[in-house]
PDB file of all heavy atoms in Angstrom:
ATOM      1  N   LEU A 103       1.721   3.789   0.704  1.00  0.00           N
ATOM      2  CA  LEU A 103       1.244   4.290  -0.591  1.00  0.00           C
ATOM      3  C   LEU A 103       1.868   5.647  -0.915  1.00  0.00           C
ATOM      4  O   LEU A 103       2.285   5.898  -2.058  1.00  0.00           O
ATOM      5  CB  LEU A 103      -0.281   4.397  -0.577  1.00  0.00           C
ATOM      6  CG  LEU A 103      -0.950   4.791  -1.901  1.00  0.00           C
ATOM      7  CD1 LEU A 103      -0.691   3.730  -2.973  1.00  0.00           C
ATOM      8  CD2 LEU A 103      -2.447   4.991  -1.707  1.00  0.00           C
ATOM      9  N   ILE A 104       1.952   6.499   0.093  1.00  0.00           N
ATOM     10  CA  ILE A 104       2.595   7.817  -0.095  1.00  0.00           C
ATOM     11  C   ILE A 104       4.078   7.627  -0.431  1.00  0.00           C
ATOM     12  O   ILE A 104       4.619   8.277  -1.336  1.00  0.00           O
ATOM     13  CB  ILE A 104       2.422   8.684   1.170  1.00  0.00           C
ATOM     14  CG1 ILE A 104       0.940   9.039   1.370  1.00  0.00           C
ATOM     15  CG2 ILE A 104       3.255   9.961   1.080  1.00  0.00           C
ATOM     16  CD1 ILE A 104       0.621   9.627   2.726  1.00  0.00           C
ATOM     17  N   LEU A 105       4.737   6.717   0.301  1.00  0.00           N
ATOM     18  CA  LEU A 105       6.160   6.441   0.028  1.00  0.00           C
ATOM     19  C   LEU A 105       6.358   5.856  -1.367  1.00  0.00           C
ATOM     20  O   LEU A 105       7.374   6.120  -2.026  1.00  0.00           O
ATOM     21  CB  LEU A 105       6.714   5.481   1.079  1.00  0.00           C
ATOM     22  CG  LEU A 105       6.850   6.040   2.506  1.00  0.00           C
ATOM     23  CD1 LEU A 105       7.258   4.935   3.470  1.00  0.00           C
ATOM     24  CD2 LEU A 105       7.877   7.174   2.538  1.00  0.00           C
ATOM     25  N   TYR A 106       5.373   5.057  -1.831  1.00  0.00           N
ATOM     26  CA  TYR A 106       5.450   4.499  -3.185  1.00  0.00           C
ATOM     27  C   TYR A 106       5.497   5.607  -4.230  1.00  0.00           C
ATOM     28  O   TYR A 106       6.326   5.587  -5.154  1.00  0.00           O
ATOM     29  CB  TYR A 106       4.253   3.581  -3.437  1.00  0.00           C
ATOM     30  CG  TYR A 106       3.960   3.365  -4.900  1.00  0.00           C
ATOM     31  CD1 TYR A 106       4.767   2.542  -5.687  1.00  0.00           C
ATOM     32  CD2 TYR A 106       2.880   4.016  -5.509  1.00  0.00           C
ATOM     33  CE1 TYR A 106       4.506   2.358  -7.037  1.00  0.00           C
ATOM     34  CE2 TYR A 106       2.618   3.840  -6.854  1.00  0.00           C
ATOM     35  CZ  TYR A 106       3.432   3.007  -7.614  1.00  0.00           C
ATOM     36  OH  TYR A 106       3.174   2.842  -8.948  1.00  0.00           O
ATOM     37  N   PHE A 107       4.595   6.601  -4.099  1.00  0.00           N
ATOM     38  CA  PHE A 107       4.570   7.711  -5.059  1.00  0.00           C
ATOM     39  C   PHE A 107       5.866   8.521  -4.992  1.00  0.00           C
ATOM     40  O   PHE A 107       6.369   8.980  -6.022  1.00  0.00           O
ATOM     41  CB  PHE A 107       3.362   8.608  -4.801  1.00  0.00           C
ATOM     42  CG  PHE A 107       2.063   8.023  -5.265  1.00  0.00           C
ATOM     43  CD1 PHE A 107       1.074   7.664  -4.356  1.00  0.00           C
ATOM     44  CD2 PHE A 107       1.834   7.809  -6.608  1.00  0.00           C
ATOM     45  CE1 PHE A 107      -0.124   7.119  -4.787  1.00  0.00           C
ATOM     46  CE2 PHE A 107       0.643   7.253  -7.053  1.00  0.00           C
ATOM     47  CZ  PHE A 107      -0.339   6.905  -6.143  1.00  0.00           C
ATOM     48  N   ILE A 108       6.398   8.693  -3.781  1.00  0.00           N
ATOM     49  CA  ILE A 108       7.665   9.438  -3.632  1.00  0.00           C
ATOM     50  C   ILE A 108       8.796   8.692  -4.341  1.00  0.00           C
ATOM     51  O   ILE A 108       9.579   9.280  -5.097  1.00  0.00           O
ATOM     52  CB  ILE A 108       7.995   9.648  -2.139  1.00  0.00           C
ATOM     53  CG1 ILE A 108       6.961  10.599  -1.493  1.00  0.00           C
ATOM     54  CG2 ILE A 108       9.402  10.216  -1.968  1.00  0.00           C
ATOM     55  CD1 ILE A 108       7.060  10.693   0.006  1.00  0.00           C
ATOM     56  N   CYS A 109       8.891   7.379  -4.105  1.00  0.00           N
ATOM     57  CA  CYS A 109       9.953   6.573  -4.733  1.00  0.00           C
ATOM     58  C   CYS A 109       9.766   6.494  -6.249  1.00  0.00           C
ATOM     59  O   CYS A 109      10.737   6.528  -7.005  1.00  0.00           O
ATOM     60  CB  CYS A 109       9.966   5.158  -4.142  1.00  0.00           C
ATOM     61  SG  CYS A 109      10.465   5.115  -2.410  1.00  0.00           S
ATOM     62  N   ASN A 110       8.529   6.379  -6.683  1.00  0.00           N
ATOM     63  CA  ASN A 110       8.243   6.303  -8.110  1.00  0.00           C
ATOM     64  C   ASN A 110       8.645   7.588  -8.823  1.00  0.00           C
ATOM     65  O   ASN A 110       9.196   7.560  -9.926  1.00  0.00           O
ATOM     66  CB  ASN A 110       6.755   6.025  -8.320  1.00  0.00           C
ATOM     67  CG  ASN A 110       6.472   5.486  -9.701  1.00  0.00           C
ATOM     68  OD1 ASN A 110       7.256   4.735 -10.256  1.00  0.00           O
ATOM     69  ND2 ASN A 110       5.351   5.866 -10.264  1.00  0.00           N
ATOM     70  N   ASN A 111       8.371   8.732  -8.183  1.00  0.00           N
ATOM     71  CA  ASN A 111       8.739  10.024  -8.770  1.00  0.00           C
ATOM     72  C   ASN A 111      10.244  10.261  -8.743  1.00  0.00           C
ATOM     73  O   ASN A 111      10.763  11.027  -9.554  1.00  0.00           O
ATOM     74  CB  ASN A 111       8.036  11.169  -8.033  1.00  0.00           C
ATOM     75  CG  ASN A 111       6.553  11.198  -8.300  1.00  0.00           C
ATOM     76  OD1 ASN A 111       6.103  10.725  -9.337  1.00  0.00           O
ATOM     77  ND2 ASN A 111       5.768  11.725  -7.377  1.00  0.00           N
ATOM     78  N   ASN A 112      10.926   9.631  -7.795  1.00  0.00           N
ATOM     79  CA  ASN A 112      12.378   9.790  -7.697  1.00  0.00           C
ATOM     80  C   ASN A 112      13.135   8.659  -8.389  1.00  0.00           C
ATOM     81  O   ASN A 112      14.315   8.435  -8.114  1.00  0.00           O
ATOM     82  CB  ASN A 112      12.794   9.869  -6.219  1.00  0.00           C
ATOM     83  CG  ASN A 112      12.399  11.196  -5.589  1.00  0.00           C
ATOM     84  OD1 ASN A 112      13.073  12.200  -5.767  1.00  0.00           O
ATOM     85  ND2 ASN A 112      11.295  11.211  -4.857  1.00  0.00           N
ATOM     86  N   LYS A 113      12.426   7.927  -9.262  1.00  0.00           N
ATOM     87  CA  LYS A 113      13.028   6.887 -10.091  1.00  0.00           C
ATOM     88  C   LYS A 113      13.717   5.801  -9.266  1.00  0.00           C
ATOM     89  O   LYS A 113      14.889   5.479  -9.452  1.00  0.00           O
ATOM     90  CB  LYS A 113      14.010   7.507 -11.094  1.00  0.00           C
ATOM     91  CG  LYS A 113      13.330   8.457 -12.074  1.00  0.00           C
ATOM     92  CD  LYS A 113      14.308   9.052 -13.059  1.00  0.00           C
ATOM     93  CE  LYS A 113      13.593  10.002 -14.017  1.00  0.00           C
ATOM     94  NZ  LYS A 113      14.523  10.620 -14.986  1.00  0.00           N
ATOM     95  N   LEU A 114      12.942   5.242  -8.309  1.00  0.00           N
ATOM     96  CA  LEU A 114      13.397   4.084  -7.526  1.00  0.00           C
ATOM     97  C   LEU A 114      12.381   2.960  -7.736  1.00  0.00           C
ATOM     98  O   LEU A 114      11.593   2.625  -6.837  1.00  0.00           O
ATOM     99  CB  LEU A 114      13.515   4.447  -6.045  1.00  0.00           C
ATOM    100  CG  LEU A 114      14.535   5.545  -5.687  1.00  0.00           C
ATOM    101  CD1 LEU A 114      14.372   5.987  -4.247  1.00  0.00           C
ATOM    102  CD2 LEU A 114      15.960   5.024  -5.930  1.00  0.00           C
ATOM    103  N   PRO A 115      12.328   2.374  -8.938  1.00  0.00           N
ATOM    104  CA  PRO A 115      11.252   1.428  -9.274  1.00  0.00           C
ATOM    105  C   PRO A 115      11.231   0.170  -8.421  1.00  0.00           C
ATOM    106  O   PRO A 115      10.171  -0.335  -8.079  1.00  0.00           O
ATOM    107  CB  PRO A 115      11.530   1.097 -10.756  1.00  0.00           C
ATOM    108  CG  PRO A 115      12.974   1.411 -10.960  1.00  0.00           C
ATOM    109  CD  PRO A 115      13.278   2.550 -10.034  1.00  0.00           C
ATOM    110  N   SER A 116      12.410  -0.372  -8.074  1.00  0.00           N
ATOM    111  CA  SER A 116      12.442  -1.616  -7.290  1.00  0.00           C
ATOM    112  C   SER A 116      11.851  -1.404  -5.900  1.00  0.00           C
ATOM    113  O   SER A 116      11.030  -2.200  -5.426  1.00  0.00           O
ATOM    114  CB  SER A 116      13.880  -2.130  -7.182  1.00  0.00           C
ATOM    115  OG  SER A 116      14.727  -1.127  -6.631  1.00  0.00           O
ATOM    116  N   LEU A 117      12.269  -0.315  -5.242  1.00  0.00           N
ATOM    117  CA  LEU A 117      11.735  -0.013  -3.915  1.00  0.00           C
ATOM    118  C   LEU A 117      10.248   0.329  -3.994  1.00  0.00           C
ATOM    119  O   LEU A 117       9.454  -0.085  -3.130  1.00  0.00           O
ATOM    120  CB  LEU A 117      12.521   1.157  -3.300  1.00  0.00           C
ATOM    121  CG  LEU A 117      12.128   1.575  -1.877  1.00  0.00           C
ATOM    122  CD1 LEU A 117      12.256   0.399  -0.908  1.00  0.00           C
ATOM    123  CD2 LEU A 117      12.992   2.745  -1.402  1.00  0.00           C
ATOM    124  N   ALA A 118       9.863   1.075  -5.038  1.00  0.00           N
ATOM    125  CA  ALA A 118       8.458   1.442  -5.216  1.00  0.00           C
ATOM    126  C   ALA A 118       7.591   0.202  -5.403  1.00  0.00           C
ATOM    127  O   ALA A 118       6.478   0.117  -4.870  1.00  0.00           O
ATOM    128  CB  ALA A 118       8.311   2.381  -6.409  1.00  0.00           C
ATOM    129  N   SER A 119       8.109  -0.790  -6.140  1.00  0.00           N
ATOM    130  CA  SER A 119       7.367  -2.036  -6.375  1.00  0.00           C
ATOM    131  C   SER A 119       7.119  -2.786  -5.064  1.00  0.00           C
ATOM    132  O   SER A 119       6.024  -3.293  -4.821  1.00  0.00           O
ATOM    133  CB  SER A 119       8.148  -2.914  -7.348  1.00  0.00           C
ATOM    134  OG  SER A 119       7.510  -4.139  -7.531  1.00  0.00           O
ATOM    135  N   VAL A 120       8.142  -2.859  -4.204  1.00  0.00           N
ATOM    136  CA  VAL A 120       8.001  -3.523  -2.897  1.00  0.00           C
ATOM    137  C   VAL A 120       6.981  -2.792  -2.034  1.00  0.00           C
ATOM    138  O   VAL A 120       6.102  -3.406  -1.404  1.00  0.00           O
ATOM    139  CB  VAL A 120       9.368  -3.596  -2.184  1.00  0.00           C
ATOM    140  CG1 VAL A 120       9.199  -4.135  -0.764  1.00  0.00           C
ATOM    141  CG2 VAL A 120      10.338  -4.467  -2.964  1.00  0.00           C
ATOM    142  N   LEU A 121       7.073  -1.454  -2.007  1.00  0.00           N
ATOM    143  CA  LEU A 121       6.176  -0.648  -1.170  1.00  0.00           C
ATOM    144  C   LEU A 121       4.724  -0.801  -1.593  1.00  0.00           C
ATOM    145  O   LEU A 121       3.835  -0.921  -0.745  1.00  0.00           O
ATOM    146  CB  LEU A 121       6.596   0.824  -1.230  1.00  0.00           C
ATOM    147  CG  LEU A 121       7.910   1.191  -0.522  1.00  0.00           C
ATOM    148  CD1 LEU A 121       8.307   2.621  -0.841  1.00  0.00           C
ATOM    149  CD2 LEU A 121       7.786   1.008   0.986  1.00  0.00           C
ATOM    150  N   ILE A 122       4.459  -0.777  -2.911  1.00  0.00           N
ATOM    151  CA  ILE A 122       3.073  -0.865  -3.376  1.00  0.00           C
ATOM    152  C   ILE A 122       2.483  -2.244  -3.085  1.00  0.00           C
ATOM    153  O   ILE A 122       1.286  -2.372  -2.766  1.00  0.00           O
ATOM    154  CB  ILE A 122       2.969  -0.520  -4.883  1.00  0.00           C
ATOM    155  CG1 ILE A 122       1.508  -0.297  -5.295  1.00  0.00           C
ATOM    156  CG2 ILE A 122       3.599  -1.573  -5.746  1.00  0.00           C
ATOM    157  CD1 ILE A 122       0.836   0.864  -4.638  1.00  0.00           C
ATOM    158  N   LYS A 123       3.311  -3.285  -3.146  1.00  0.00           N
ATOM    159  CA  LYS A 123       2.817  -4.634  -2.834  1.00  0.00           C
ATOM    160  C   LYS A 123       2.434  -4.753  -1.362  1.00  0.00           C
ATOM    161  O   LYS A 123       1.378  -5.294  -1.021  1.00  0.00           O
ATOM    162  CB  LYS A 123       3.875  -5.674  -3.190  1.00  0.00           C
ATOM    163  CG  LYS A 123       4.036  -5.878  -4.692  1.00  0.00           C
ATOM    164  CD  LYS A 123       5.163  -6.849  -5.007  1.00  0.00           C
ATOM    165  CE  LYS A 123       5.358  -6.994  -6.519  1.00  0.00           C
ATOM    166  NZ  LYS A 123       6.503  -7.864  -6.847  1.00  0.00           N
ATOM    167  N   ILE A 124       3.296  -4.228  -0.482  1.00  0.00           N
ATOM    168  CA  ILE A 124       2.984  -4.275   0.960  1.00  0.00           C
ATOM    169  C   ILE A 124       1.770  -3.402   1.260  1.00  0.00           C
ATOM    170  O   ILE A 124       0.912  -3.768   2.073  1.00  0.00           O
ATOM    171  CB  ILE A 124       4.202  -3.810   1.789  1.00  0.00           C
ATOM    172  CG1 ILE A 124       5.412  -4.722   1.532  1.00  0.00           C
ATOM    173  CG2 ILE A 124       3.870  -3.801   3.276  1.00  0.00           C
ATOM    174  CD1 ILE A 124       6.696  -4.248   2.170  1.00  0.00           C
ATOM    175  N   SER A 125       1.693  -2.241   0.588  1.00  0.00           N
ATOM    176  CA  SER A 125       0.562  -1.331   0.797  1.00  0.00           C
ATOM    177  C   SER A 125      -0.751  -1.994   0.393  1.00  0.00           C
ATOM    178  O   SER A 125      -1.745  -1.919   1.125  1.00  0.00           O
ATOM    179  CB  SER A 125       0.775  -0.045  -0.006  1.00  0.00           C
ATOM    180  OG  SER A 125      -0.335   0.807   0.104  1.00  0.00           O
ATOM    181  N   VAL A 126      -0.763  -2.645  -0.771  1.00  0.00           N
ATOM    182  CA  VAL A 126      -1.978  -3.337  -1.231  1.00  0.00           C
ATOM    183  C   VAL A 126      -2.355  -4.442  -0.254  1.00  0.00           C
ATOM    184  O   VAL A 126      -3.539  -4.628   0.083  1.00  0.00           O
ATOM    185  CB  VAL A 126      -1.763  -3.894  -2.653  1.00  0.00           C
ATOM    186  CG1 VAL A 126      -2.901  -4.831  -3.042  1.00  0.00           C
ATOM    187  CG2 VAL A 126      -1.657  -2.755  -3.660  1.00  0.00           C
ATOM    188  N   GLY A 127      -1.349  -5.193   0.220  1.00  0.00           N
ATOM    189  CA  GLY A 127      -1.614  -6.249   1.206  1.00  0.00           C
ATOM    190  C   GLY A 127      -2.224  -5.703   2.480  1.00  0.00           C
ATOM    191  O   GLY A 127      -3.181  -6.286   3.032  1.00  0.00           O
ATOM    192  N   ALA A 128      -1.685  -4.568   2.963  1.00  0.00           N
ATOM    193  CA  ALA A 128      -2.227  -3.932   4.178  1.00  0.00           C
ATOM    194  C   ALA A 128      -3.662  -3.487   3.963  1.00  0.00           C
ATOM    195  O   ALA A 128      -4.523  -3.664   4.844  1.00  0.00           O
ATOM    196  CB  ALA A 128      -1.346  -2.741   4.578  1.00  0.00           C
ATOM    197  N   PHE A 129      -3.947  -2.925   2.795  1.00  0.00           N
ATOM    198  CA  PHE A 129      -5.315  -2.464   2.505  1.00  0.00           C
ATOM    199  C   PHE A 129      -6.293  -3.636   2.374  1.00  0.00           C
ATOM    200  O   PHE A 129      -7.455  -3.525   2.768  1.00  0.00           O
ATOM    201  CB  PHE A 129      -5.334  -1.612   1.233  1.00  0.00           C
ATOM    202  CG  PHE A 129      -4.938  -0.175   1.452  1.00  0.00           C
ATOM    203  CD1 PHE A 129      -3.924   0.405   0.704  1.00  0.00           C
ATOM    204  CD2 PHE A 129      -5.583   0.597   2.415  1.00  0.00           C
ATOM    205  CE1 PHE A 129      -3.548   1.725   0.910  1.00  0.00           C
ATOM    206  CE2 PHE A 129      -5.223   1.925   2.625  1.00  0.00           C
ATOM    207  CZ  PHE A 129      -4.205   2.494   1.880  1.00  0.00           C
ATOM    208  N   VAL A 130      -5.813  -4.751   1.821  1.00  0.00           N
ATOM    209  CA  VAL A 130      -6.679  -5.944   1.714  1.00  0.00           C
ATOM    210  C   VAL A 130      -7.038  -6.460   3.104  1.00  0.00           C
ATOM    211  O   VAL A 130      -8.206  -6.769   3.397  1.00  0.00           O
ATOM    212  CB  VAL A 130      -5.986  -7.034   0.870  1.00  0.00           C
ATOM    213  CG1 VAL A 130      -6.749  -8.359   0.980  1.00  0.00           C
ATOM    214  CG2 VAL A 130      -5.885  -6.604  -0.584  1.00  0.00           C
ATOM    215  N   LEU A 131      -6.025  -6.564   3.984  1.00  0.00           N
ATOM    216  CA  LEU A 131      -6.287  -6.998   5.364  1.00  0.00           C
ATOM    217  C   LEU A 131      -7.192  -6.009   6.088  1.00  0.00           C
ATOM    218  O   LEU A 131      -8.069  -6.408   6.863  1.00  0.00           O
ATOM    219  CB  LEU A 131      -4.962  -7.154   6.116  1.00  0.00           C
ATOM    220  CG  LEU A 131      -4.087  -8.344   5.710  1.00  0.00           C
ATOM    221  CD1 LEU A 131      -2.739  -8.276   6.420  1.00  0.00           C
ATOM    222  CD2 LEU A 131      -4.791  -9.660   6.039  1.00  0.00           C
ATOM    223  N   PHE A 132      -6.974  -4.710   5.828  1.00  0.00           N
ATOM    224  CA  PHE A 132      -7.842  -3.693   6.424  1.00  0.00           C
ATOM    225  C   PHE A 132      -9.289  -3.889   5.983  1.00  0.00           C
ATOM    226  O   PHE A 132     -10.215  -3.788   6.799  1.00  0.00           O
ATOM    227  CB  PHE A 132      -7.357  -2.294   6.029  1.00  0.00           C
ATOM    228  CG  PHE A 132      -8.415  -1.231   6.142  1.00  0.00           C
ATOM    229  CD1 PHE A 132      -8.862  -0.798   7.387  1.00  0.00           C
ATOM    230  CD2 PHE A 132      -8.987  -0.671   5.004  1.00  0.00           C
ATOM    231  CE1 PHE A 132      -9.848   0.164   7.493  1.00  0.00           C
ATOM    232  CE2 PHE A 132      -9.967   0.288   5.102  1.00  0.00           C
ATOM    233  CZ  PHE A 132     -10.406   0.716   6.348  1.00  0.00           C
ATOM    234  N   ALA A 133      -9.488  -4.171   4.686  1.00  0.00           N
ATOM    235  CA  ALA A 133     -10.847  -4.377   4.169  1.00  0.00           C
ATOM    236  C   ALA A 133     -11.515  -5.570   4.851  1.00  0.00           C
ATOM    237  O   ALA A 133     -12.710  -5.528   5.183  1.00  0.00           O
ATOM    238  CB  ALA A 133     -10.804  -4.582   2.655  1.00  0.00           C
ATOM    239  N   VAL A 134     -10.729  -6.637   5.094  1.00  0.00           N
ATOM    240  CA  VAL A 134     -11.266  -7.819   5.788  1.00  0.00           C
ATOM    241  C   VAL A 134     -11.706  -7.449   7.204  1.00  0.00           C
ATOM    242  O   VAL A 134     -12.819  -7.789   7.643  1.00  0.00           O
ATOM    243  CB  VAL A 134     -10.210  -8.942   5.824  1.00  0.00           C
ATOM    244  CG1 VAL A 134     -10.685 -10.093   6.708  1.00  0.00           C
ATOM    245  CG2 VAL A 134      -9.911  -9.436   4.414  1.00  0.00           C
ATOM    246  N   TYR A 135     -10.833  -6.739   7.937  1.00  0.00           N
ATOM    247  CA  TYR A 135     -11.169  -6.331   9.301  1.00  0.00           C
ATOM    248  C   TYR A 135     -12.342  -5.353   9.306  1.00  0.00           C
ATOM    249  O   TYR A 135     -13.174  -5.375  10.222  1.00  0.00           O
ATOM    250  CB  TYR A 135      -9.944  -5.694   9.977  1.00  0.00           C
ATOM    251  CG  TYR A 135      -9.124  -6.687  10.754  1.00  0.00           C
ATOM    252  CD1 TYR A 135      -8.009  -7.294  10.183  1.00  0.00           C
ATOM    253  CD2 TYR A 135      -9.466  -7.039  12.053  1.00  0.00           C
ATOM    254  CE1 TYR A 135      -7.249  -8.215  10.885  1.00  0.00           C
ATOM    255  CE2 TYR A 135      -8.717  -7.965  12.769  1.00  0.00           C
ATOM    256  CZ  TYR A 135      -7.612  -8.547  12.184  1.00  0.00           C
ATOM    257  OH  TYR A 135      -6.881  -9.473  12.891  1.00  0.00           O
ATOM    258  N   TYR A 136     -12.411  -4.499   8.293  1.00  0.00           N
ATOM    259  CA  TYR A 136     -13.497  -3.522   8.238  1.00  0.00           C
ATOM    260  C   TYR A 136     -14.841  -4.212   8.030  1.00  0.00           C
ATOM    261  O   TYR A 136     -15.849  -3.840   8.643  1.00  0.00           O
ATOM    262  CB  TYR A 136     -13.232  -2.523   7.110  1.00  0.00           C
ATOM    263  CG  TYR A 136     -14.163  -1.332   7.126  1.00  0.00           C
ATOM    264  CD1 TYR A 136     -13.981  -0.300   8.038  1.00  0.00           C
ATOM    265  CD2 TYR A 136     -15.224  -1.239   6.233  1.00  0.00           C
ATOM    266  CE1 TYR A 136     -14.833   0.790   8.065  1.00  0.00           C
ATOM    267  CE2 TYR A 136     -16.078  -0.155   6.247  1.00  0.00           C
ATOM    268  CZ  TYR A 136     -15.875   0.868   7.164  1.00  0.00           C
ATOM    269  OH  TYR A 136     -16.733   1.941   7.195  1.00  0.00           O
ATOM    270  N   ILE A 137     -14.856  -5.251   7.171  1.00  0.00           N
ATOM    271  CA  ILE A 137     -16.099  -6.009   6.946  1.00  0.00           C
ATOM    272  C   ILE A 137     -16.526  -6.709   8.239  1.00  0.00           C
ATOM    273  O   ILE A 137     -17.713  -6.703   8.608  1.00  0.00           O
ATOM    274  CB  ILE A 137     -15.903  -7.025   5.799  1.00  0.00           C
ATOM    275  CG1 ILE A 137     -15.724  -6.278   4.468  1.00  0.00           C
ATOM    276  CG2 ILE A 137     -17.085  -7.984   5.715  1.00  0.00           C
ATOM    277  CD1 ILE A 137     -15.229  -7.144   3.331  1.00  0.00           C
ATOM    278  N   ARG A 138     -15.555  -7.313   8.945  1.00  0.00           N
ATOM    279  CA  ARG A 138     -15.870  -7.963  10.227  1.00  0.00           C
ATOM    280  C   ARG A 138     -16.363  -6.944  11.245  1.00  0.00           C
ATOM    281  O   ARG A 138     -17.283  -7.204  12.030  1.00  0.00           O
ATOM    282  CB  ARG A 138     -14.625  -8.671  10.756  1.00  0.00           C
ATOM    283  CG  ARG A 138     -14.202  -9.880   9.919  1.00  0.00           C
ATOM    284  CD  ARG A 138     -12.938 -10.506  10.448  1.00  0.00           C
ATOM    285  NE  ARG A 138     -13.113 -11.022  11.800  1.00  0.00           N
ATOM    286  CZ  ARG A 138     -12.118 -11.484  12.556  1.00  0.00           C
ATOM    287  NH1 ARG A 138     -10.876 -11.494  12.072  1.00  0.00           N
ATOM    288  NH2 ARG A 138     -12.349 -11.931  13.775  1.00  0.00           N
ATOM    289  N   LEU A 139     -15.760  -5.767  11.211  1.00  0.00           N
ATOM    290  CA  LEU A 139     -16.145  -4.689  12.133  1.00  0.00           C
ATOM    291  C   LEU A 139     -17.579  -4.244  11.866  1.00  0.00           C
ATOM    292  O   LEU A 139     -18.369  -4.016  12.796  1.00  0.00           O
ATOM    293  CB  LEU A 139     -15.176  -3.519  11.950  1.00  0.00           C
ATOM    294  CG  LEU A 139     -15.258  -2.325  12.896  1.00  0.00           C
ATOM    295  CD1 LEU A 139     -13.866  -1.783  13.155  1.00  0.00           C
ATOM    296  CD2 LEU A 139     -16.093  -1.218  12.280  1.00  0.00           C
ATOM    297  N   LEU A 140     -17.948  -4.121  10.569  1.00  0.00           N
ATOM    298  CA  LEU A 140     -19.319  -3.735  10.211  1.00  0.00           C
ATOM    299  C   LEU A 140     -20.313  -4.802  10.659  1.00  0.00           C
ATOM    300  O   LEU A 140     -21.394  -4.481  11.173  1.00  0.00           O
ATOM    301  CB  LEU A 140     -19.430  -3.516   8.700  1.00  0.00           C
ATOM    302  CG  LEU A 140     -18.659  -2.341   8.090  1.00  0.00           C
ATOM    303  CD1 LEU A 140     -18.992  -2.197   6.623  1.00  0.00           C
ATOM    304  CD2 LEU A 140     -18.986  -1.046   8.815  1.00  0.00           C
TER     305      LEU A 140
END
């Protein structure tokens, strides 16, 4: 997510798009594990 903002600010939209998709996927999986953990 941090790298996404860096790439977005440096006008690298294609790389930023890939990073944000992977970041969202990681956070979704994290949320699943967090619910199981709770």
